[in-house]
Amino acid sequence: MIATLRFLAFASAVVSSALAGCACRTSHGICGPGHGSPLGHVATVDFNYTGEGGPLNWYGLNETANYLCAKGKNQSPIPIDESIPYVADNSKVVMSVPDTKSARLENIGDVVQVVTDGTLCVNGDTYNLAQFHFHTPSEHRVDLEYSPMENHWVFENSQKKIAVVTFLFELSPTGESVELFDDVFFNLNGAATPGDYTLTPPLCFQQVLDHFHNNPIYTYTGSLTTPPCTEGVQWYISKVPFPLDVCTYNKVKKVLKFNSRVTQNFLGHENLLSLAASELNA
């Protein structure tokens, strides 16, 4: 991925947000001393990304609940290339997240997530935002290339169907960053330990929403990238990555460490774990 070209595509969204004069701005990056302290505790997940708790053994942790992690044939993340279609009309996929004075920033063990309100309307069907969270490095690969970080916004509708809006990040050669994510990570110290949560400063979302609506969006039907690896999840992946300040990235990855599921097989093909097991047994 060529950073210069993608930052040019990103620039229009940055300018429009700046002109809008978002009143939520409270921080200017998170370099220097850490901010935030734990305010309480949350439940953590029973899996991880290392050894017997990692993706190669998610099925073994609970063979019934996590059956699809090893047997499903439409598992995410997948390799992204030009064979994956784009959303034909971005106006049919409308993401809306109201600005907030504060939101919970939770470390549930596998990810750090932000719990806030929002909706995703797809062809008249409304999904409600459950949370958005982060992976380092990226889980999806575009043209076989990983990105340093990936951001998932998880939505669910009244029929319990799930849709995930995804943004990728590239390290900025000029120190650019996105206001929303600077503010999300400002109090990261308060959620640095699994089981802890803290509160964010005020959050403004318009810059991110403009970026999503005004750039090409890959879409496909896959799965959750964590147990129970539920299939039938509709993915919407913004093609143009956000810039990520190196200092911010270094602080975030010290908390998230490695929390990415290995890229899965192409859609409809044999699950890589099942395939490997068959070859080993043979």
Side-chain angles (χ1 to χ4, degrees):
M1 291 182 285
I2 307 301
T4 302
L5 294 177
R6 296 195 174 183
F7 289 142
L8 288 175
F10 171 76
S12 61
V14 174
V15 171
S16 63
S17 282
L19 293 175
C22 179
C24 294
R25 185 62 168 169
T26 59
S27 61
H28 299 276
I30 59 170
C31 289
H35 299 270
S37 57
L39 299 178
H41 301 286
V42 292
T44 57
V45 298
D46 60 357
F47 62 89
N48 55 49
Y49 294 87
T50 303
E52 294 180 6
L56 294 178
N57 196 44
W58 284 347
Y59 170 75
L61 297 177
N62 189 325
E63 294 181 6
T64 301
N66 299 345
Y67 177 85
L68 289 172
C69 297
K71 304 293 185 178
K73 295 185 178 181
N74 290 285
Q75 289 289 292
S76 298
I78 63 168
I80 300 292
D81 57 27
E82 293 306 314
S83 70
I84 304 301
Y86 294 111
V87 170
D89 182 355
N90 283 17
S91 68
K92 302 296 185 182
V93 182
V94 180
M95 182 176 170
S96 178
V97 184
D99 296 343
T100 181
K101 293 182 179 179
S102 187
R104 281 173 65 114
L105 181 66
E106 302 176 343
N107 188 329
I108 62 171
D110 65 318
V111 296
V112 170
Q113 65 182 24
V114 177
V115 181
T116 191
D117 295 327
T119 58
L120 182 72
C121 292
V122 182
N123 295 319
D125 191 6
T126 300
Y127 296 74
N128 292 312
L129 178 63
Q131 43 84 7
F132 64 91
H133 63 263
F134 303 86
H135 294 272
T136 56
S138 70
E139 297 196 303
H140 288 88
R141 290 186 291 164
V142 178
D143 295 328
L144 301 181
E145 184 179 353
Y146 284 104
S147 296
M149 189 165 76
E150 182 169 332
N151 171 218
H152 295 166
W153 301 64
V154 182
F155 297 83
E156 186 176 71
N157 70 6
S158 58
Q159 286 77 47
K160 304 300 181 182
K161 292 183 179 179
I162 297 172
V164 182
V165 170
T166 298
F167 299 101
L168 301 171
F169 293 79
E170 282 186 345
L171 296 180
S172 169
T174 57
E176 289 180 85
S177 62
V178 177
E179 175 182 315
L180 171 66
F181 301 113
D182 283 349
D183 291 335
V184 163
F185 297 132
F186 189 71
N187 287 335
L188 184 60
N189 273 15
T193 302
D196 286 346
Y197 81 85
T198 190
L199 296 176
T200 71
L203 302 178
C204 274
F205 297 92
Q206 194 59 51
Q207 181 180 352
V208 170
L209 300 178
D210 288 346
H211 182 91
F212 180 65
H213 295 137
N214 294 315
N215 286 294
I217 303 167
Y218 295 110
T219 187
Y220 76 95
T221 304
S223 76
L224 296 178
T225 65
T226 57
C229 306
T230 304
E231 294 191 340
V233 174
Q234 194 64 39
W235 286 84
Y236 298 96
I237 302 173
S238 184
K239 180 179 181 180
V240 178
F242 281 124
L244 180 63
D245 174 71
V246 173
C247 177
T248 301
Y249 172 62
N250 286 338
K251 286 182 176 288
V252 172
K253 74 182 180 70
K254 283 184 180 298
V255 173
L256 296 183
K257 306 186 189 309
F258 180 93
N259 68 334
S260 297
R261 188 186 191 190
V262 64
T263 307
Q264 301 297 293
N265 211 347
F266 295 95
L267 296 173
H269 290 218
E270 190 76 13
N271 188 294
L272 291 176
L273 288 180
S274 291
L275 185 61
S278 297
E279 295 290 340
L280 182 62
N281 291 332

